[in-house]
Amino acid sequence: ERARSLNEDSEQIYTAALNKYQFDPYTVEGIPSNNPVCAKKAIVKGPAGQVTVRFVDRCADCKEGTMEL
């Protein structure tokens, strides 16, 4: 539950960091906080169900196509 950060109209939203390969091409003027990927949501599915995440950061160590929750 460490990453649980937001509650929007009873929807639990977790934070996530997107890999640099998908994040960096959209960074504006080298300033990550200006990246339009920030604040975008995604649904993450797994064997125990699914959660909604909002991208708030860049994951420098993540492999291409992955994210850090």
Side-chain angles (χ1 to χ4, degrees), residues 1-51:
E1 291 193 10
R2 180 176 60 88
R4 186 175 292 174
S5 62
L6 305 168
N7 186 338
E8 294 181 353
D9 300 326
S10 76
E11 178 185 20
Q12 291 294 328
I13 299 179
Y14 296 80
T15 58
L18 188 61
N19 67 81
K20 64 183 177 184
Y21 305 98
Q22 290 176 278
F23 187 91
D24 287 353
Y26 301 101
T27 298
V28 179
E29 298 177 359
I31 304 169
S33 60
N34 289 342
N35 192 314
V37 171
C38 287
K40 299 284 186 193
K41 294 181 190 176
I43 295 173
V44 178
K45 295 180 181 182
Q50 67 182 36
V51 295

